[in-house]
Amino acid sequence: MITYHLKGPGGLASLQPIVVDDPSPGSDDVVIQSRAWSLNYRDLAMPSGGYVRNDKIKHSPPLVPLSDVAGQVVAVGSGVTRFRVGDRVMASFFRDWVDGDLDHEQIGSALGGAIDGVLSEKVCLPQRAWVQTPANLTDVQAATLPCAAVTAWHAFELGPLRMGQTVLLLGTGGVSIFALQLAKIAGAKVIITSSSDEKLARAKSMGADETINYRDIPDWDKRVRELTDDVGVDHVIEVGGAGTLEKSLRSARVSGTISLIGILSGRVDQNPSMLPALFNRITVRGIYVGSRRMFEDLCRSIDVNGLVPVVDRTFAFEDARAAYEYLQSGKHFGKVVIEAPK
């Protein structure tokens, strides 16, 4: 079979397809024929060396990249009870985090960063690492779920998000668009930001109640306060990091929640003032994707509500590097997907 390797932390030039033996399942393993993969912002960091606890590329190259895959079971081990040949499945982001609080051992099982990932024609993982694909989704759509959708679900589960609350979303990438869809299913009001009026119009057509172009309104936190009668929002899905956190803190209501997810802007060594969190009793909570149980709960909601992921563009398996480059351009709205040959 063909698999992709990042040969080392040398940039995208180190991403190369190679031929390896097909995997053989152990007694507890499931092997799938991959049908589609999706990219996440974290995947852009791997060719350059990764980040904390996701740096196999530096200390033990090569790295098979990506965490998100959907496909069909083609072989199972003798001890497998959860799946049969022919089942459609998706990988869980953390191979070993099934439920409960994330612990030290489980955090080291993040696919495509801490350990080898899934950008291969066939993938073999223990049965605990797979989740049944919702019946209403294609494999291309299902491949978008394991990281971005589960992250949004986790944020709202811990919130918890309730009907009638107000959510602020930063940008229109994968996590934010899934959060928009889930928030509307929950009956919440959504405010979303972007630098593109075209993307804001698309978000509006999906149910966003208010939109803010942060290029036109650099002090977008003040606009958020205006839109909420100076009360602030109940939840912020914070994907910007150091570059946006202070404004997110000023956008949240007293006793509100900020789900800290990404580091898309600013420098990691910046030190935003946390005084608003102190004086307004704001909960700032780190969200690191989620467990298999959360993923399964998300899939039940998708089945019930008919949620359809937003796929911006698909690339052929042999054009995987172009998919990375397109994601890096920031032109996408929703998810970027790599599709296997028919």
Side-chain angles (χ1 to χ4, degrees):
M1 70 172 186
I2 296 174
T3 187
Y4 274 90
H5 278 181
L6 283 166
K7 302 282 190 177
L12 269 181
S14 68
L15 181 68
Q16 301 290 338
I18 65 168
V19 177
V20 298
D21 292 336
D22 283 12
S24 298
S27 62
D28 194 49
D29 292 336
V30 172
V31 178
I32 72 157
Q33 181 72 48
S34 304
R35 301 299 185 197
W37 308 258
S38 78
L39 278 73
N40 299 283
Y41 184 79
R42 75 186 283 266
D43 298 313
L44 298 178
M46 300 309 159
S48 300
Y51 54 90
V52 61
R53 296 197 189 94
N54 281 262
D55 56 358
K56 179 183 185 294
I57 186 65
K58 284 198 297 191
H59 65 73
S60 184
L63 171 72
V64 179
L66 304 195
S67 59
D68 293 14
V69 67
Q72 189 168 35
V73 176
V74 292
V76 297
S78 59
V80 171
T81 58
R82 299 184 62 240
F83 301 102
R84 298 179 298 178
V85 171
D87 285 348
R88 296 172 60 232
V89 296
M90 307 160 293
S92 188
F93 180 91
F94 287 104
R95 182 193 62 193
D96 299 337
W97 186 16
V98 175
D99 199 2
D101 285 336
L102 181 63
D103 64 26
H104 178 74
E105 285 74 25
Q106 293 162 349
I107 205 170
S109 68
L111 298 173
I115 61 174
D116 280 332
V118 297
L119 191 52
S120 303
E121 289 185 306
K122 292 182 180 178
V123 178
C124 179
L125 293 169
Q127 62 174 324
R128 66 179 176 274
W130 297 104
V131 172
Q132 200 87 32
T133 297
N136 67 307
L137 299 187
T138 67
D139 291 322
V140 165
Q141 294 165 341
T144 69
L145 299 181
C147 182
V150 175
T151 298
W153 180 271
H154 186 182
F156 288 149
E157 177 181 292
L158 288 182
L161 180 63
R162 295 192 294 275
M163 186 178 295
Q165 290 187 326
T166 302
V167 177
L168 172 63
L169 309 177
L170 305 188
T172 54
V175 172
S176 294
I177 294 305
F178 276 121
L180 167 59
Q181 293 175 293
L182 293 171
K184 297 313 295 182
I185 286 171
K189 178 180 179 179
V190 173
I191 302 170
I192 192 167
T193 72
S194 174
S195 62
S196 165
D197 287 336
E198 180 183 354
K199 290 181 178 181
L200 290 174
R202 289 189 65 183
K204 191 85 169 178
S205 72
M206 293 177 61
D209 298 276
E210 302 286 353
T211 62
I212 303 171
N213 187 315
Y214 61 77
R215 289 199 192 277
D216 296 339
I217 307 176
D219 294 330
W220 47 264
D221 53 311
K222 295 179 181 177
R223 180 60 179 152
V224 170
R225 302 297 299 199
E226 291 173 2
L227 292 172
T228 57
D229 296 324
D230 203 32
V231 172
V233 300
D234 298 281
H235 297 257
V236 182
I237 302 300
E238 169 54 78
V239 299
T244 54
L245 182 54
E246 284 196 48
K247 290 181 180 178
S248 291
L249 286 165
R250 291 194 291 266
S251 298
R253 68 165 173 82
V254 173
S255 296
T257 298
I258 295 179
S259 293
L260 191 59
I261 291 165
I263 48 170
L264 302 186
S265 66
R267 305 190 320 271
V268 295
D269 59 347
Q270 281 181 280
N271 293 304
S273 171
M274 297 301 291
L275 289 179
L278 173 64
F279 293 138
N280 292 308
R281 194 179 171 271
I282 295 170
T283 299
V284 180
R285 178 183 286 115
I287 300 294
Y288 192 4
V289 193
S291 67
R292 193 191 80 199
R293 192 272 306 161
M294 294 177 196
F295 196 175
E296 291 167 336
D297 288 349
L298 165 69
C299 289
R300 281 190 283 272
S301 178
I302 288 172
D303 276 331
V304 170
N305 294 289
L307 183 152
V308 177
V310 176
V311 175
D312 180 279
R313 185 173 170 185
T314 61
F315 291 81
F317 183 63
E318 59 268 26
D319 294 330
R321 191 182 299 179
Y324 277 79
E325 292 168 346
Y326 180 68
L327 180 67
Q328 196 162 33
S329 76
K331 297 176 181 177
H332 61 290
F333 180 98
K335 295 292 291 178
V336 177
V337 175
I338 298 169
E339 189 172 7
K342 299 295 185 184

